[in-house]
Structures are given as C-alpha cells and as structure tokens.
Amino acid sequence: MDVRARFVSEILQDEGQRLLRNQGKAIEARVKKRSGRLESSRSVSVTSGNGASGTLTFVHVAYERFLDMKRLQRGGKSVKSNRKIHNRYVFGAFASIAERLMNEFTEDVIARIRESELGQTK
C-alpha cells in the first residue's frame, strides 16, 4: 500500500471511530434506551480503493434518521422529536475528513508512515 493510500485509510478509520464515539454519547444522553439496538447496531468499516482513494461505510438502523427529524407522526398526531443524533454527527464527520485530507498530508506524516511500513516489513 502506498503512502497516500495508507494516509487516507488512517484518516477514515480515525474519523469513523470518532463518529461512533461522539454519536454514542449523544444517543446515551438524548434517547431513552429500551433495547439498546440503536447503539449496538452501529459500525464503521474502511476499504481501500485504487491509488489514494478509500471508502468509509457507516452502518446504522434505518429509524435512526427519523429520530433526527423535528416532528414525527405517531398515530395521527405530530410529536416533537429532534434529538440531534444523526445528521449533526454524520455531516460533522464529512467536514472533518475533508479538512484533514486537505491539510494533514505533510512531510512529517509521510516520514512517519514510511517508518511504520519499514518496521512492519522487518
């Protein structure tokens, strides 16, 4: 794996774990847990693509997005919700990934990655 691909993979893995951690705290604070399925079904995975590309996949239950809506329809009634547990964290992760990919690929990082690759091959 070349240096750029390794860098992209590290950034995606870091930000994916950060997304899970921060969103998990929000879920604990804002959602009354019943089964724990909302928290336990979340996961992230990183796959490396060709060259310096990669993919971060965030898996969650479908109803998580509905808990983020300002109003829910339940039994013909409109109920206030807006728990702010999905969009804020997902789009925050997107912004953080873009920022880090644009600014953190420095000569020091290249040297660190090359050193770690040499250490692994020995």
Side-chain angles (χ1 to χ4, degrees), residues 10-60:
E10 285 178 9
I11 295 292
L12 293 176
Q13 191 65 40
D14 287 348
E15 290 300 323
Q17 293 305 315
R18 184 171 160 259
L19 168 65
L20 287 178
R21 185 177 56 250
N22 291 340
Q23 186 189 40
K25 290 177 187 175
I27 289 172
E28 276 186 40
R30 295 185 178 114
V31 177
K32 295 177 183 172
K33 288 188 179 181
R34 298 198 178 161
S35 67
R37 185 171 157 229
L38 183 65
E39 173 90 25
S40 64
S41 64
R42 299 174 315 121
S43 66
V44 293
S45 62
V46 175
T47 55
S48 297
N50 297 339
S53 67
T55 304
L56 172 65
T57 305
F58 174 49
V59 177
H60 59 84

Side-chain angles (χ1 to χ4, degrees), residues 59-104:
V59 177
H60 59 84
V61 292
Y63 70 88
E64 177 181 302
R65 298 218 33 189
F66 294 104
L67 295 175
D68 223 23
M69 296 171 69
K70 289 187 179 183
R71 293 193 176 275
L72 293 174
Q73 292 289 338
R74 289 196 184 142
K77 291 191 259 181
S78 182
V79 179
K80 283 189 177 184
S81 178
N82 203 15
R83 293 188 177 102
K84 296 181 182 174
I85 61 167
H86 182 78
N87 290 338
R88 171 180 288 191
Y89 297 98
V90 170
F91 287 105
F94 289 158
S96 183
I97 289 168
E99 176 74 22
R100 290 182 69 186
L101 289 175
M102 286 189 301
N103 297 316
E104 289 186 14

